[in-house]
Amino acid sequence: MSQSPRFRYEEVADFVAGLAGRGALQPGTRAPSLREISTQQRTSLSTAVQAYRLLEDRGILEARPQSGYYVAKPPPALAVPTTTRHSIRPAKVELSGLMLDLLENASDETLVPLGCAIPNPRLLASSKLDLVLARTARVKGGQCNTYSPPRGEMSLRLEIARRALRYGQALSPDDIAVTCGCTEALALALDAVTEPGDTVAIESPTYFGLLQVLRAKRLKVVELPTDANTGTDVGAMRNALATGKVRACVLASSFSNPLGCTMPEENKRAVLRLLAKHGVPLIEDDVYGDVHFGEERPLPFSALDTNDNVIYCGSFSKTLAPGYRIGWIATGRHMTRVLETKLATSLATPVLTQVALASFLSNGDYDRHLRRIRREFADTLGRMTRVIEQAFPPGTKVSRPEGNFVLWVELPEPADTRLLFAQALEKGICFAPGVVFSASGKYANCLRLSGGHGWDSRIEKGLRTLGAMAGKALARRSLKP
Ligand SMILES: Cc1ncc(COP(=O)(O)O)c(C=O)c1O
C-alpha cells in the first residue's frame, strides 16, 4: 500500500505541533525563533519558514509583527454531541445502501481516508510482524498447513489469556475460542443466545458491521440512546428490558464506535445487575479496549460480571493486524454451542497467522507498539478536532473520545451528510455518513471521521475542504423555504 510522502518541513511542523500538543509550549507563549528551530532540527532556514507557515495555517502558531511567532490560543471547545431520545420499540434492521459504498471506497487510495476505521499499515508494527510471520513459515510452515483444533491454537489462546488477566479477566485458554476477527465472534455469540426473529438491545449509534450481522441473522433491534461521554442510557435499558421482549444485548466494552464513549464502572455494574435480573445475556465488543489514551485500560463488563452472563468478543484488528483476521471469544457457559456453530461456518481459523501472532505477543513487542499507536491516535484526534473547530460550520459538535481513533461529528440541522458524502467523494474525500450507524436511518446530520491513517497534510487539507463543503451545503439547505 502506498504512503503519502512526507516533506522535511512537515516533520519540523509536526515536531513543534507535538510540543504544543503536549503542553511543553503553552498557548500565548513565544515559540522558538526560526533560527532556533532550524538549528535544533538541523534544517535550513527556508524549511523552518515553510514549517511555521504550515503551523499558522493549522492555527497552532500565530505571527506577531516585529515580535516573532507565538503559540495560538485554542478556540473555545466545541460542544459534545447530545444523547438522542428515541423509541424503544423492537424494529427490523433497515440498512442504508451507503454501507457498501463506504466499504468499497475504503480501499481506494486516491481518496482522503477519513471513512473507514482501519489503522494505517504504516502505524502498525507491520515490518516486525512480517519477520515473525516469515520465520514462523520457515520453521513451522508444514506443521501449520492443517486445521487448527476447534478452539484454535493453544499458543495463541495462552497469550490472550495472559493479557486478559491484566484487565481483570481470569480466563484459562480453554475458556477462549479463536475466531476470524471480532465479526465472527459477534456472529457466534448472537447465534449462541438468540433465534431468528428475537430482539436484541444495542447502543445507538452503533458500529455498522454489527447491524449487518444482526440483519443477516434476522434479528430485530431496540436502539438504546447513548451519550457521547457516558455511553448507553441505563434508564432506557431498564425500560427496554421491562417490555420482556429483549433476548440479548450487545454493548461496546469501552471507546465505542462511532461515539468513542465508555460507560462509567458504576453504570456497567448497574447494566450487569439489570441484565442478570431479566436473564438477558450481554455480548460485549472490546475491539478498541487496548487503544486507551489514559493510563488505565477500562475494565470490560466481563471483569465485573459475577453471574456468568457475559460473552466477550475481541480482536487484533484495530491494533496490530486487520488483515490477519484474528479475533477471539470468551464464551462463558456457551462454549459447546459456539464451537458447533464455528465448525458449521468457517470450520477453523488459519493456523499460520495464529502461531505467528502468538510468537509476536510472547516477545514483548506488542506493549511497546501499543504505547506508540495510542500516542499517535490521541495526537491525530486532537489535531482533527482543532481543524473541525476552525473549519466546520458554527454549531458543529464533536465527540471527545478517550480511546479509539474515530470522531463523531454532529452538524447543525438541516444538514444531510448523505448528500455531503456523494459530493465529498467527487472531491476525493471519503467519510462515513451518520445513517450507516443506525438501524432506522437516524443521524442524517452526523458523520464519523476516522483518524486511523494518522496525521498528515493531506488529512488536514481534506478536513478543511470537507468543513467548507458542509458549511456551503448547510447555507443552501437553510435558505430553502
Ligand atoms: C466496534 C467494532 N467491532 C468489530 C469490528 C470488526 O472487527 P474485526 O475486523 O476484528 O472483525 C469493528 C471494525 O470496524 C468495530 O469497529
Side-chain angles (χ1 to χ4, degrees):
M1 212 176 269
S2 72
Q3 293 162 18
S4 342
R6 292 186 51 73
F7 295 103
R8 180 71 185 118
Y9 77 90
E10 290 179 310
E11 287 170 2
V12 175
D14 282 352
F15 172 77
V16 177
L19 294 178
R22 289 192 296 278
L25 289 174
Q26 285 291 316
T29 62
R30 202 181 171 134
S33 70
L34 289 167
R35 202 163 295 284
E36 280 165 348
I37 203 70
S38 62
T39 311
Q40 202 272 343
Q41 287 289 294
R42 296 206 176 95
T43 188
S44 68
L45 205 53
S46 64
T47 301
V49 170
Q50 263 186 306
Y52 273 32
R53 284 207 184 119
L54 179 62
L55 289 166
E56 266 193 285
D57 292 345
R58 282 191 197 163
I60 294 170
L61 294 187
E62 59 192 21
R64 294 195 194 156
Q66 321 289 327
S67 181
Y69 283 92
Y70 284 75
V71 181
K73 296 215 168 78
L78 297 181
V80 171
T82 40
T83 308
T84 44
R85 296 268 139 215
H86 38 251
S87 156
I88 52 162
R89 221 173 307 130
K92 272 192 183 163
V93 178
E94 303 289 347
L95 291 189
S96 147
L98 292 180
M99 257 181 219
L100 217 52
D101 272 7
L102 175 63
L103 292 171
E104 270 169 14
N105 283 308
S107 52
D108 183 342
E109 292 181 16
T110 64
L111 298 176
V112 180
L114 295 164
C116 277
I118 308 173
N120 186 341
R122 176 177 66 80
L123 303 179
L124 301 178
S126 301
S127 44
K128 277 202 180 140
L129 208 51
D130 290 348
L131 288 178
V132 177
L133 185 66
R135 191 175 348 109
T136 310
R138 206 171 49 246
V139 180
K140 300 188 184 161
Q143 288 152 266
C144 292
N145 193 7
T146 183
Y147 294 118
S148 68
R151 282 179 171 78
E153 288 305 305
M154 178 55 117
S155 58
L156 180 59
R157 287 186 284 125
L158 255 172
E159 289 303 326
I160 292 171
R162 249 185 225 143
R163 296 193 67 82
L165 202 54
R166 300 188 193 174
Y167 43 91
Q169 287 180 317
L171 295 173
S172 91
D174 283 350
D175 298 324
I176 296 167
V178 179
T179 57
C180 298
C182 185
T183 304
E184 190 185 38
L186 290 168
L188 293 172
L190 283 165
D191 267 329
V193 296
T194 63
E195 298 293 337
D198 282 352
T199 296
V200 179
I202 56 172
E203 56 206 352
S204 179
T206 195
Y207 163 55
F208 52 78
L210 172 66
L211 296 176
Q212 308 259 25
V213 176
L214 290 162
R215 193 177 67 160
K217 303 210 166 295
R218 308 206 183 295
L219 293 163
K220 288 194 223 132
V221 294
V222 170
E223 297 185 86
L224 300 172
T226 300
D227 181 84
N229 287 323
T230 53
T232 300
D233 185 313
V234 182
M237 177 173 293
R238 185 178 297 112
N239 295 341
L241 292 173
T243 64
K245 293 195 174 130
V246 175
R247 288 286 162 269
C249 177
V250 183
L251 295 178
S253 319
S254 359
F255 320 124
S256 71
N257 175 9
L259 283 176
C261 56
T262 303
M263 293 180 90
E265 214 166 282
E266 68 268 24
N267 290 20
K268 284 187 177 171
R269 288 186 199 276
V271 162
L272 287 168
R273 278 195 300 274
L274 270 175
L275 291 169
K277 180 174 143 199
H278 289 272
V280 173
L282 173 64
I283 298 168
E284 70 170 317
D285 176 342
D286 200 16
V287 279
Y288 292 102
D290 274 339
V291 194
H292 51 92
F293 304 154
E295 285 295 306
E296 298 283 323
R297 191 191 201 283
L299 289 184
F301 287 94
S302 45
L304 305 167
D305 171 43
T306 50
N307 294 295
D308 191 10
N309 197 36
V310 179
I311 304 180
Y312 176 94
C313 304
S315 89
F316 295 102
S317 301
K318 302 300 170 185
T319 52
L320 192 59
Y324 281 34
R325 307 304 305 130
I326 292 185
W328 70 97
I329 180 167
T331 62
R333 62 198 140 96
H334 304 284
M335 184 58 89
T336 307
R337 178 94 187 253
V338 163
L339 292 182
E340 282 168 0
T341 314
K342 164 102 186 157
L343 292 177
T345 47
S346 62
L347 184 53
T349 307
V351 179
L352 184 63
T353 42
Q354 288 188 63
V355 176
L357 214 55
S359 163
F360 184 87
L361 293 174
S362 68
N363 71 17
D365 279 343
Y366 188 51
D367 285 310
R368 255 190 309 281
H369 164 68
L370 283 178
R371 283 195 290 276
R372 200 170 52 78
I373 59 167
R374 282 178 200 136
R375 274 199 304 274
E376 179 86 29
F377 289 140
D379 182 58
T380 301
L381 292 193
R383 289 170 193 237
M384 287 171 65
T385 305
R386 250 167 270 141
V387 174
I388 293 167
E389 284 163 354
Q390 294 159 7
F392 276 58
T396 297
K397 296 176 182 174
V398 63
S399 59
R400 267 182 232 137
E402 287 175 15
N404 192 329
F405 48 82
V406 295
L407 292 177
W408 181 248
V409 178
E410 188 182 307
L411 297 175
E413 303 276 6
D416 187 338
T417 58
R418 287 167 294 194
L419 302 176
L420 186 63
F421 178 61
Q423 292 159 359
L425 284 178
E426 277 174 26
K427 292 250 178 216
I429 302 164
C430 188
F431 68 85
V435 289
V436 303
F437 300 94
S438 164
S440 52
K442 297 184 215 324
Y443 313 118
N445 65 322
C446 300
L447 63 146
R448 189 198 69 184
L449 296 169
S450 169
H453 182 81
W455 185 253
D456 63 18
S457 53
R458 189 165 168 242
I459 293 284
E460 175 173 359
K461 201 159 156 241
L463 262 182
R464 287 190 188 279
T465 307
L466 188 60
M469 289 173 73
K472 273 195 205 135
L474 192 59
R476 271 198 306 273
R477 285 178 74 81
S478 307
L479 286 178
K480 279 198 188 147

